[in-house]
């Protein structure tokens, strides 16, 4: 019998109910019970259902009638946030029976976001970067245990990203101070073990084997992502990766039990002390991963952990490889060398290699003033131009090694003492001052010194945009007063496939060994030119009066002299470079200058200030440009291949109390004022802080404002070149003499576009910065806290002081701080 054959009062055998009410049929009830509980094995639905009410009651005494209602849901109220913030959706669901499952989906608005825990009542997502208010719509659905579902929607309006923290006040505390809502973890302290089997650091001066420990004076750093397991590169990983960090210099007083022995011009220095000091320099590669509770942990067993020191073998590449100017008793063919030193700022490549920069290397060499015999006029000109004179910072050349055949100390004596360049180390200074490329994912690969990028006091080597079919460029400061800004443009146009090349250093050969090195000239009208440093052009010839060049290798080894010849603009100590990932504009920190380097009548439009900023309670005069500034340029045609640019000065360092008409030209307030900008970094374009209007981080290395505050980190959201105007200022020198100077000033910052994010501990420098690709973890270097103290009387106890009062005998150490937002959002926004 079928249901369709039933008559209103016909006979039923019980298979169906002839009652035409809305009650559920017995078969339907049985089917529902089977599909929902799956409790009965074998037998038909009718048999199961007729077992009686006792069995039905065992199924939670719930009503299975047709009046069972769908869930009641609420997707929460509409909300408004800004880009980079963590958004938590909040749904509620109830049912007369039980809610079986919930889910969220984005149903409208762009861009699409990734919901974390989308099958929960409270999923989260990071608000994307937008250029204007954008509304995203989300649907919340709940399904009960009978399959009924109900949905509701809510919306979240995303506003453009903004600085999302309260400015940190200036202070002189012995801790790292960050905004409310942020937390700090300390990692990679000087002396921490890097290699397996190296014991914990005692920090009493007795520790050895710094070739297996974190070096001193941690500087520039960069995060290189790793796959979840193994050693494979994953550039997108924010949870596991390698931290590659420079180690620029040393606090020698804290490395030995009672300070250094015989650290004088005469020496001799003890071999063990000198080895420790040498090994404290260089680069470290350490593997880190984040735990479930959000803390970061070091993997000491990682095969990728590595120390690169001044004794590590190096290979030369590019036009100067094999030049007579690179030949020494160690490298008689000029193709190899030892180590890297005074590594300050850095750079990177899209194929996954690290670039480290050899900065003020000249001061490590011993070369007495009497070292002129047998030297040509050319040699003396070059040595003096790079400052290779004196007794050497740590007198390593005075060590008498136990192994008489060892040359690791003799190499620091740059005197011409042998019969030829291959019999001594007169050319050893020429082996330093280069850009060094390292493959962090392969410890077996020898680092390469890329001579095509010139020999300078390299401070930074940041790349411009990589555009398929266009030649990429790297921008470099030369960190000394009255030095220059440089750019290297590869001879090879960029191919996207090379970003994932298996042989990373071979890819470096392709892009970094051939190209053109340029130096910048800034004109008063806001224009500028990139002047090529090419043998045979612009006076860079064998008849140049300043220095007669022999060939292109000579030009690159003596790039400063070539820049002198072509008429580049001397700058107020050019340091880090950074490139806006959206606009391509290039930023350069000009840390400071003194009265000798920037006299009253020696200013120019790009370096326009000469003034006095009295220091300390005694108001000690400090003339010149002691607070520094940040200049920026826009390439013609927005291409790295350009040979012309426009420029303005983005920010002028100054105390908020200084003359706003002629010194505090950016109108800085107490929440914004700073001095001596040094480190510079734009957030990664892989997260909202580096998109649309990228976040710029500014680090300071200050001597002019430390009477008021420790060094600091600021966050900024700059505009573009040309957003301000021209200004003529009046500079004032000693005795009240004045002179006017016209310049070009960027738009004044506001409280929404510039504020102080961090203040460091006593006597430190803030240097080195990067984030994970998602922008939710920020790594910041704290260098040389307590540098003015001694082993017996340290002037800082950081990082021990970060978590509470430290004993007065605890020696300070450089370290990296890991900064995260307590709610999990993008740092800074």
């Amino acid at each position: 019998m079928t249901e369709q054959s039933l008559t209103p009062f016909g006979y039923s055998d019980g298979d169906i109910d002839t009652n035409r009410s809305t009650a559920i049929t017995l078969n339907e009830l049985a089917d529902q019970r089977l599909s929902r509980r799956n409790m009965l094995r074998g037998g038909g639905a009718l048999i199961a259902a007729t077992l009686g009410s006792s069995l039905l009651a065992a199924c939670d005494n719930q009503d299975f009638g047709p009046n069972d209602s769908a869930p009641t849901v609420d997707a929460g109220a509409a909300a408004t946030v800004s880009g980079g913030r963590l958004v938590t959706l909040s749904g509620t669901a109830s049912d007369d029976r039980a809610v079986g499952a919930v889910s969220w989906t984005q149903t409208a608005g762009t861009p699409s976001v990734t919901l974390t825990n989308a099958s929960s009542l409270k999923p989260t997502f990071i608000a994307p970067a937008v250029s204007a208010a954008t509304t995203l719509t989300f649907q919340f659905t709940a399904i009960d245990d009978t399959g009924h579902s109900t949905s509701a929607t809510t919306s979240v309006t995303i506003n453009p990203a903004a600085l999302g923290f309260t400015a940190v006040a200036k202070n002189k505390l012995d801790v790292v101070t960050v905004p409310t809502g942020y937390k700090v973890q300390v990692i990679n302290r000087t002396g921490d073990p890097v290699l397996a089997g190296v014991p914990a650091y005692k920090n009493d001066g007795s520790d050895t084997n710094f070739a297996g420990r974190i070096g001193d004076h941690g500087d520039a750093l960069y995060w290189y992502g790793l796959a979840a397991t193994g050693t494979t590169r994953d550039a997108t990983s924010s949870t596991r990766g390698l931290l590659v960090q420079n180690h620029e210099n040393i606090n020698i007083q804290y490395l030995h039990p009672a300070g250094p022995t015989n650290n004088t011009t005469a020496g001799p220095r003890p071999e063990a002390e000198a080895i420790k000091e040498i090994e404290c320099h260089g680069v470290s590669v350490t593997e880190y991963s984040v735990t479930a509770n959000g803390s970061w942990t070091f993997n000491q067993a990682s095969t990728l952990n590595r120390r690169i020191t001044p004794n590590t073998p190096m290979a030369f590449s590019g036009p100067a490889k094999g030049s007579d100017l690179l030949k020494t008793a160690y490298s008689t063919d000029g193709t190899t060398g030892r180590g890297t030193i005074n590594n300050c700022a850095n750079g990177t490549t899209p194929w996954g290699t690290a670039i480290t920069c050899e900065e003020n290397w000249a001061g490590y060499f011993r070369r007495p003033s009497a070292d002129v015999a047998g030297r040509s006029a050319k040699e003396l000109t070059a040595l003096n131009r790079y400052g290779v004179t004196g007794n050497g910072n740590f007198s390593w050349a005075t060590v008498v090694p136990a192994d008489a055949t060892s040359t690791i100390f003799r190499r620091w004596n740059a005197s011409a003492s042998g019969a030829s360049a291959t019999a001594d180390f007169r050319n050893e200074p020429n082996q330093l001052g280069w850009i060094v490329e390292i493959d962090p994912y392969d410890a077996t690969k020898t680092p390469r010194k890329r001579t095509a990028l010139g020999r300078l006091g390299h401070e930074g080597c940041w790349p411009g945009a990589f555009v398929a079919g266009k030649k990429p460029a790297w921008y470099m400061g030369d960190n000394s007063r009255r030095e220059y800004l440089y750019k290297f443009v590869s001879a090879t146009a960029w191919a996207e496939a090379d970003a994932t090349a298996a042989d990373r250093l071979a890819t470096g050969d392709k892009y970094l060994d051939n190209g053109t090195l340029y130096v910048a000239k800034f004109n008063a009208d806001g224009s500028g030119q990139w002047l090529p440093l090419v043998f045979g052009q612009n006076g860079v010839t064998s008849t140049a009066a300043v220095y007669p060049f022999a060939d292109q290798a000579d030009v690159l080894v003596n790039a400063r002299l070539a820049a002198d010849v072509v008429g580049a603009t001397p700058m107020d100590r050019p340091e880090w470079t950074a490139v806006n990932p959206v606009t391509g504009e290039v930023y350069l920190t000009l840390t400071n200058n003194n009265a000798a380097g920037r006299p009253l009548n020696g200013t120019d439009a790009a370096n326009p200030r000469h003034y006095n900023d009295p220091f300390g309670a005694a108001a000690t005069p400090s003339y010149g440009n002691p607070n520094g500034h940040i200049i920026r340029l826009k390439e013609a045609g927005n291409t790295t291949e350009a040979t012309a640019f426009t420029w303005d000065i983005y920010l002028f360092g100054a105390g908020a109390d200084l003359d706003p008409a002629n010194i505090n030209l950016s109108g800085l307030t107490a929440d914004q004022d700073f001095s001596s900008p040094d480190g510079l970094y734009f957030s990664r374009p892989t997260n909202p802080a580096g998109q649309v209007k990228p976040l710029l981080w500014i680090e300071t290395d200050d001597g002019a404002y430390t009477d008021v505050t420790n060094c600091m980190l600021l966050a900024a959201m700059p505009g573009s070149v040309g957003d301000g105007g021209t200004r003529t200022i009046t500079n004032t020198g000693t005795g009240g003499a004045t002179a006017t100077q016209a310049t070009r000033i960027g738009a004044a910052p506001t409280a929404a576009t510039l504020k102080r994010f961090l203040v460091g501990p006593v006597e430190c420098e803030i240097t080195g910065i990067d984030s994970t690709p998602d922008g939710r973890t920020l790594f910041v270097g704290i260098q040389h806290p307590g540098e003015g103290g001694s082993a017996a009387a340290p002037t800082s106890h950081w990082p021990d002081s970060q978590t509470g009062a430290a004993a007065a005998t605890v020696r300070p150490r450089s370290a990296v701080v890991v900064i995260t937002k307590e709610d999990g959002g993008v740092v800074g926004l």
Side-chain angles (χ1 to χ4, degrees):
M1 180 181 288
T2 65
E3 186 173 4
Q4 287 78 8
S5 67
L6 289 175
T7 61
F9 302 102
Y11 174 78
S12 170
D13 66 0
D15 281 351
I16 58 172
D17 191 353
T18 56
N19 184 344
R20 296 316 172 100
S21 74
T22 57
I24 193 167
T25 69
L26 186 59
N27 276 347
E28 288 171 337
L29 177 60
D31 288 343
Q32 285 186 4
R33 180 62 58 88
L34 281 171
S35 64
R36 183 163 43 84
R37 300 295 187 188
N38 194 25
M39 292 178 62
L40 305 173
R41 305 292 183 180
L46 177 60
I47 298 172
T50 56
L51 290 176
S53 60
S54 61
L55 178 58
L56 296 176
C59 296
D60 301 329
N61 290 317
Q62 295 183 3
D63 179 13
F64 293 91
N67 291 322
D68 179 33
S69 59
T72 300
V73 301
D74 187 338
T80 300
V81 300
S82 58
R85 301 291 182 89
L86 182 73
V87 180
T88 301
L89 300 175
S90 183
T92 60
S94 61
D95 189 62
D96 57 347
R97 296 166 52 73
V99 176
V102 298
S103 63
W104 289 84
T105 56
Q106 182 179 348
T107 57
T110 56
S112 297
V113 299
T114 299
L115 291 172
T116 300
N117 298 322
S119 296
S120 71
L121 292 174
K122 296 181 181 294
T124 61
F125 68 92
I126 295 293
V130 295
S131 58
T134 300
T135 299
L136 309 181
T137 303
F138 299 89
Q139 178 175 286
F140 173 57
T141 300
I143 304 173
D144 69 13
D145 60 357
T146 63
H148 293 107
S149 67
T150 307
S151 297
T153 61
T154 189
S155 63
V156 180
T157 298
I158 314 296
N159 285 327
L163 299 180
F165 59 91
T166 300
V168 171
K170 299 186 287 286
N171 68 73
K172 301 190 74 174
L173 303 174
D174 198 26
V175 296
V176 172
T177 310
V178 294
T180 301
Y182 286 85
K183 58 184 178 180
V184 171
Q185 178 186 351
V186 179
I187 63 170
N188 273 22
R189 301 165 298 179
T190 295
D192 280 353
V194 168
L195 303 182
V198 176
Y201 194 58
K202 297 177 183 177
N203 195 25
D204 61 3
S206 67
D207 301 279
T208 60
N209 188 18
F210 270 87
R213 300 182 181 276
I214 292 292
D216 204 359
H217 282 215
D219 210 293
L221 53 83
Y222 197 81
W223 171 263
Y224 291 87
L226 281 169
T229 59
T231 60
T232 303
R233 176 192 179 204
D234 178 1
T236 67
S237 175
S238 294
T239 58
R240 180 174 180 249
L242 302 172
L243 197 64
V244 179
Q245 184 183 27
N246 290 339
H247 299 288
E248 179 187 14
N249 208 330
I250 58 175
N251 275 1
I252 192 171
Q253 70 273 38
Y254 299 128
L255 290 178
H256 310 297
T261 304
N262 294 338
N263 189 29
T264 65
T265 59
R269 293 296 315 286
E271 182 174 15
E273 289 187 7
I275 289 174
K276 183 187 298 189
E277 295 159 15
I278 292 169
E279 290 177 346
C280 271
H281 291 75
V283 178
S284 63
V285 181
T286 50
E287 181 186 321
Y288 275 88
S289 58
V290 67
T291 63
N293 66 6
S295 63
W296 287 83
T297 181
F298 169 59
N299 179 11
Q300 190 175 349
S302 173
T303 59
L304 296 175
N305 292 340
R306 185 180 184 188
R307 275 303 318 279
I308 297 166
T309 76
N311 294 329
T312 301
M314 298 275 158
F316 282 92
S317 65
K321 176 182 179 180
S323 166
D324 287 346
L325 296 173
L326 296 181
K327 294 177 179 178
T328 69
Y330 175 84
S331 179
T332 57
D333 63 357
T335 64
T336 60
R338 279 179 293 191
T340 184
I341 201 167
N342 210 252
N343 304 84
C344 200
N346 64 344
T348 189
T349 70
W351 51 90
T353 57
I355 287 175
T356 185
C357 306
E358 298 176 339
E359 190 199 21
N360 292 318
W361 44 269
Y364 292 87
F365 287 99
R366 182 182 183 88
R367 183 178 163 263
S369 57
D371 179 48
V372 294
R375 295 280 199 178
S376 68
K378 275 188 64 172
E379 285 180 283
L380 294 174
T381 296
L383 289 165
N384 291 331
R385 181 66 179 85
Y386 281 87
V388 185
T389 58
N391 295 295
N393 294 345
F394 306 110
S395 301
W396 294 335
T398 68
V399 174
V400 179
D403 178 0
T405 66
S406 172
T407 61
I408 64 172
F409 306 110
R410 189 160 66 92
R411 66 179 289 204
W412 301 107
N413 186 344
S415 301
S417 57
S420 68
T422 56
D424 56 32
F425 290 93
R426 70 185 70 181
N427 282 340
E428 188 71 15
N430 295 341
Q431 289 228 340
L432 296 174
W434 301 101
I435 292 300
V436 185
E437 186 181 15
I438 299 166
D439 185 347
Y441 298 99
D442 190 343
T444 68
K445 293 291 180 66
T446 300
R448 299 186 190 177
K449 297 200 172 189
R450 302 293 186 185
T451 65
L453 283 77
R455 175 173 158 269
L456 322 167
H458 276 291
E459 179 84 23
C461 183
W462 205 258
F466 286 83
V467 179
K470 296 290 185 180
K471 299 172 182 176
W474 283 259
Y475 299 87
M476 303 170 285
D478 185 355
N479 184 16
S480 285
R481 290 166 178 158
R482 297 192 64 80
E483 291 300 341
Y484 308 118
L485 170 65
Y486 296 80
K487 174 174 79 166
F488 170 77
V489 180
S490 176
T492 305
W494 174 240
E496 293 286 355
D498 286 333
T500 55
D503 191 333
R504 287 173 284 271
L505 289 182
T507 306
D509 294 342
K510 178 178 178 179
Y511 291 101
L512 295 173
D513 279 349
N514 292 287
T516 303
L517 182 65
Y518 294 89
V519 68
K521 180 179 181 180
F522 293 83
N523 301 320
D525 63 358
S527 65
Q529 291 83 41
W530 290 110
L531 308 174
L533 302 182
V534 178
F535 181 69
Q537 299 180 21
N538 301 319
V540 183
T541 66
S542 60
T543 59
V546 172
Y547 179 89
F549 298 92
D551 50 26
Q552 185 62 21
D554 200 356
V555 171
L556 296 170
V557 170
N558 293 290
R560 282 181 174 176
L561 287 162
D564 294 342
V565 169
V566 302
T569 302
M571 309 297 285
D572 285 349
R573 194 176 159 199
E575 298 215 37
W576 290 46
T577 53
V579 178
N580 186 313
V582 171
T583 67
E585 293 181 351
V586 182
Y587 286 66
L588 169 70
T589 50
L590 299 168
T591 297
N592 55 47
N593 213 332
N594 56 24
R598 191 60 62 189
L600 177 64
N601 294 306
T603 61
D604 57 49
N607 305 272
R609 292 186 301 173
H610 176 100
Y611 55 95
N612 179 33
D613 184 6
F615 185 84
T620 304
S622 180
Y623 283 91
N625 178 20
N627 299 125
H629 56 286
I630 302 172
I631 200 166
R632 62 185 173 184
L633 60 90
K634 182 181 182 67
E635 296 276 31
N638 292 322
T639 175
T640 49
E641 297 178 347
T643 57
F645 57 85
T646 55
W647 66 269
D648 68 9
I649 295 175
Y650 164 53
L651 284 177
F652 290 87
D657 60 329
L658 296 178
D659 175 14
N662 301 298
I663 303 174
N664 185 12
L665 301 177
S666 296
L668 303 179
T669 68
D671 287 341
Q672 304 167 319
D673 56 348
F674 67 93
S675 174
S676 300
D678 188 345
L680 202 61
Y681 165 82
F682 273 102
S683 292
R684 290 185 179 226
T686 50
N687 68 77
Q691 300 164 358
V692 183
K693 192 172 184 179
L695 192 59
L696 176 65
W697 298 92
I698 303 165
E699 299 175 313
T700 69
D701 178 14
D702 191 21
Y705 209 25
T706 50
D707 55 341
V708 174
T709 181
N710 297 338
C711 285
M712 65 186 69
L713 171 68
L714 302 100
M717 302 187 81
S720 297
V721 171
D723 61 9
T726 59
R727 180 92 63 89
T728 297
I729 63 175
T730 299
N731 290 317
T732 302
T734 56
T738 62
T740 59
Q741 176 64 60
T743 188
R744 311 182 75 83
I745 300 176
T750 67
T753 62
L754 176 67
K755 61 179 72 175
R756 189 176 302 105
F757 179 82
L758 174 154
V759 176
V762 173
E763 295 175 355
C764 80
E765 171 187 349
I766 308 297
T767 181
I769 181 169
D770 190 24
S771 78
T772 50
D774 62 10
R776 299 168 79 169
T777 301
L778 189 72
F779 304 98
V780 178
I782 308 297
Q783 187 185 103
H784 62 62
E787 66 174 343
S790 66
T795 49
S796 168
H797 306 295
W798 193 86
D800 293 65
S801 58
Q802 187 69 32
T803 54
T809 56
V810 173
R811 302 181 184 202
R813 296 195 268 171
S814 297
V816 173
V817 291
V818 182
I819 301 173
T820 52
K821 205 171 182 180
E822 290 177 353
D823 68 5
V826 174
V827 176
L829 299 182

